[in-house]
Amino acid sequence: MTLRDEILSACAGRIKDTLEKTDKHTFENAEEIRIRSGRGMFIKTNLDELAVCEDGSLTREEKNIFIPTEKDIHTFFEVMSGYSFYAFNEEIKNGFITIQGGHRIGIAGHAVCENGKITALSDISSVNIRICRQMIGISKKVIPYIYKKGTFLNTVIISPPGFGKTTLLRDIIRNLSVSGQNVSVADERGEIGGCWKGHVTNDLGPRTDVMDSVPKALGMRMLLRSMAPDVIACDEAGGEDDIMAIDEIKRCGVKILCTFHGYGIEDLEIKTGSDFERYIVLDFADGIRKAAIFDENKMIGVEKL
Amino acid sequence: MMKFLGSATVIFFGWLIGVLISKKDKFKIEDLEEFKRGLGIFSGEMRCTSIPLSDIFDEISQRCNGAVSKLFSDAALFAREKKDSDAGELWQRAVEKNAGNFYFGSEEMDCLFSFSPVLLGHFRSQQEQGTENIIDDIETVCMKLREKSSKDERLFRSAGLLCGILICVIIF
């Protein structure tokens, strides 16, 4: 199944009809599909963001663009969740669900709160499909930096959203697994493994165990006890509990590989106070993705990915 | 001898028709009980497994019998087709397709249709509460049917027997 088929098979109604009319190469560079009730549907690539017209063509103008209605979004979301809202209750409270293939569907609408916590999200008005893409081999140039005398070093990947943290993380996991390390992944959002009904759909290598839909800290602690891993990986750590779990793992002699939102090592230090042996800071400009690799003291290399 | 055999046959069939008519409510109760069982499975699967709706319907279809099994099997198929705008619509379509397989009257059909808005609920607790309400409704309908059935059963059997005797008197 191609990426296009994967996305289209999850869609429904007028939104699907319009996406089906788009050129078959449209999805090749797409990173996000943003759908806003009463405003339009936009496809964001690594260079541009274009509106989708009724006839499936893409434009920078705002004339004759496809305007999804509230009902279109409701139908789209019903079908996308497999008519199974109940199965995504916890995810919906966090504002997203993950579908087959690891694509993350972010949602915005009317939030119902109780005691400062979101208990429900209804009247969904905006949807953002973040397309999950495997880029096998993207970590090839980075790998030599994150090993010392054949031992993997505690590594963190830092970048703002949309710069490819998860894609790089996924490929490093695959490489570690192929090289003989037992890797355990706490995949809270199901994005790393693209888990569907508990089965990993992305290539994470032969020695990788994935626990999905579990809070990262809890998942990491469980995996530490149950799977005897060499390396534990997780995406977008940052909460207090995540940092405590990471420190515990490091103290147990198990290596850690994770990602953080931020622009540099300073952000990480402010947020966590936790130390790593390698820092990979991603930068993305003019369609070129670069990784700057640091040890505890200084930059040790820059690689174009 | 021929008259005797003929009379016996007519009376027997009269009685049999009476029995079958009297059993109609029992068939309704059986189907409703089966549907109630299906809803119980739905509630449990939804609470404990978080598997997609189509898989839950398949599971119910395998664990239930008769018309209810076919109903859930069709609903699972419709959920996979992804042609309906929401879960309520697909359930309604499945019930309409399978209406002929049940002995139900309008009150019992309402029990089936009332699952439609429950499926539209966005939250597990909402759907669980809705399912419980339908189960309560089914129990009420079943109780009424049982009362009606116990009264009607003797009536229809006797009426069938009497009809058989009457036909014999007229013919012979």
Side-chain angles (χ1 to χ4, degrees):
Chain A
M1 197 186 256
T2 64
L3 179 73
R4 184 188 170 84
D5 294 338
E6 218 167 69
I7 301 285
L8 288 176
S9 70
C11 296
R14 286 176 68 224
I15 291 172
K16 181 180 183 176
D17 295 343
T18 311
L19 282 174
E20 266 175 343
K21 287 182 210 160
T22 58
D23 186 87
K24 62 180 178 182
H25 299 295
T26 306
F27 285 24
E28 273 174 16
N29 297 316
E31 289 181 345
E32 291 175 357
I33 302 169
R34 289 174 180 267
I35 307 160
R36 296 181 178 107
S37 166
R39 282 163 293 168
M41 179 156 73
F42 305 88
I43 296 184
K44 189 182 170 213
T45 65
N46 49 10
L47 296 172
D48 215 346
E49 186 171 288
L50 301 165
V52 183
C53 297
E54 293 274 359
D55 61 0
S57 60
L58 302 178
T59 177
R60 279 188 186 83
E61 291 169 15
E62 290 192 10
K63 283 178 192 168
N64 303 322
I65 63 170
F66 167 66
I67 306 286
T69 62
E70 208 175 302
K71 190 172 183 292
D72 289 331
I73 297 213
H74 174 77
T75 303
F76 169 82
F77 201 68
E78 272 271 341
V79 173
M80 199 125 217
S81 66
Y83 305 107
S84 318
F85 270 76
Y86 58 85
F88 297 102
N89 272 195
E90 287 310 310
E91 289 93 331
I92 289 171
K93 284 179 197 170
N94 290 326
F96 64 86
I97 65 167
T98 307
I99 59 160
Q100 190 167 13
H103 311 293
R104 194 203 284 191
I105 316 293
I107 47 177
H110 176 69
V112 182
C113 294
E114 203 179 286
N115 300 327
K117 282 185 178 175
I118 294 176
T119 55
L121 198 62
S122 60
D123 303 322
I124 296 161
S125 55
S126 296
V127 172
N128 178 16
I129 308 170
R130 293 188 65 185
I131 296 171
C132 163
R133 197 175 265 115
Q134 286 196 87
M135 292 173 82
I136 292 173
I138 194 176
S139 67
K140 205 175 153 190
K141 291 179 183 170
V142 171
I143 291 288
Y145 294 98
I146 55 178
Y147 274 91
K148 195 175 182 180
K149 293 177 186 168
T151 308
F152 176 73
L153 303 165
N154 291 318
T155 303
V156 58
I157 304 165
I158 308 163
S159 90
F163 278 38
K165 280 187 304 295
T166 310
T167 312
L168 181 62
L169 174 77
R170 197 181 291 125
D171 201 51
I172 295 176
I173 292 170
R174 195 183 58 81
N175 268 310
L176 289 171
S177 180
V178 168
S179 70
Q181 310 244 34
N182 287 309
V183 187
S184 290
V185 182
D187 195 4
E188 183 170 354
R189 299 183 178 103
E191 276 185 300
I192 305 173
C195 288
W196 184 246
K197 295 187 203 170
H199 298 285
V200 178
T201 58
N202 288 333
D203 181 6
L204 295 183
R207 294 175 193 85
T208 304
D209 309 300
V210 181
M211 186 166 305
D212 79 310
S213 305
V214 63
K216 282 180 284 282
L218 182 64
M220 284 191 285
R221 287 185 180 112
M222 282 173 78
L223 289 164
L224 177 67
R225 285 193 297 268
S226 60
M227 299 309 290
D230 301 314
V231 180
I232 291 184
C234 76
D235 196 14
E236 293 178 13
E240 239 172 75
D241 206 20
D242 300 341
I243 306 305
M244 279 163 67
I246 288 171
D247 288 339
E248 275 173 46
I249 289 162
K250 285 196 283 194
R251 280 199 298 274
C252 291
V254 174
K255 297 293 179 184
I256 191 91
L257 169 66
C258 60
T259 72
F260 275 89
H261 276 306
Y263 287 90
I265 301 172
E266 307 76 35
D267 291 339
L268 179 73
E269 279 167 353
I270 293 164
K271 278 182 194 167
T272 70
S274 190
D275 292 327
F276 290 85
E277 291 158 299
R278 291 290 182 269
Y279 302 84
I280 303 171
V281 181
L282 296 182
D283 184 29
F284 190 58
D286 302 323
I288 299 166
R289 187 177 282 115
K290 283 182 190 163
I293 303 110
F294 299 79
D295 66 8
E296 290 100 328
N297 307 310
K298 60 180 189 307
M299 186 193 282
I300 53 172
V302 179
E303 294 291 343
K304 204 167 106 179
L305 302 178
Chain B
M1 187 64 184
M2 283 297 284
K3 270 188 184 178
F4 175 73
L5 277 177
S7 305
T9 312
V10 170
I11 290 167
F12 174 73
F13 276 105
W15 174 80
L16 195 69
I17 290 165
V19 169
L20 283 175
I21 294 171
S22 73
K23 289 271 182 205
K24 201 178 158 189
D25 283 341
K26 280 201 169 164
F27 294 143
K28 283 183 187 177
I29 294 168
E30 275 173 20
D31 279 345
L32 281 173
E33 290 284 356
E34 202 63 17
F35 182 52
K36 196 175 95 178
R37 208 160 74 84
L39 292 179
I41 299 169
F42 171 78
S43 208
E45 292 283 330
M46 189 181 60
R47 194 184 315 125
C48 304
T49 63
S50 290
I51 58 175
L53 192 65
S54 54
D55 290 6
I56 294 186
F57 283 170
D58 269 338
E59 177 78 22
I60 299 171
S61 166
Q62 280 164 19
R63 287 164 66 180
C64 288
N65 300 312
V68 172
S69 168
K70 179 78 175 55
L71 172 64
F72 278 101
S73 154
D74 281 342
L77 191 75
F78 293 161
R80 284 204 185 86
E81 283 176 357
K82 295 182 176 176
K83 283 182 184 164
D84 300 278
S85 63
D86 54 50
E89 196 178 296
L90 80 84
W91 179 256
Q92 208 150 344
R93 200 151 68 90
V95 173
E96 277 161 11
K97 191 188 165 195
N98 285 276
N101 299 335
F102 292 93
Y103 288 94
F104 288 172
S106 64
E107 198 180 0
E108 295 85 40
M109 283 308 283
D110 283 348
C111 288
L112 294 183
F113 280 118
S114 60
F115 192 40
S116 201
V118 171
L119 291 170
L120 285 176
H122 279 194
F123 285 88
R124 195 174 287 169
S125 51
Q126 232 179 328
Q127 295 192 333
E128 272 178 314
Q129 188 57 54
T131 310
E132 271 175 35
N133 291 344
I134 301 176
I135 289 174
D136 288 346
D137 288 348
I138 290 174
E139 276 166 4
T140 311
V141 173
C142 282
M143 210 166 70
K144 276 188 203 165
L145 282 172
R146 272 190 204 102
E147 280 170 13
K148 188 171 163 270
S149 166
S150 64
K151 278 182 200 164
D152 289 356
E153 207 172 320
R154 200 173 292 171
L155 178 78
F156 279 117
R157 276 183 201 174
S158 311
L161 194 68
L162 284 173
C163 281
I165 294 169
L166 192 68
I167 291 166
C168 288
V169 169
I170 294 166
I171 296 174
F172 306 112

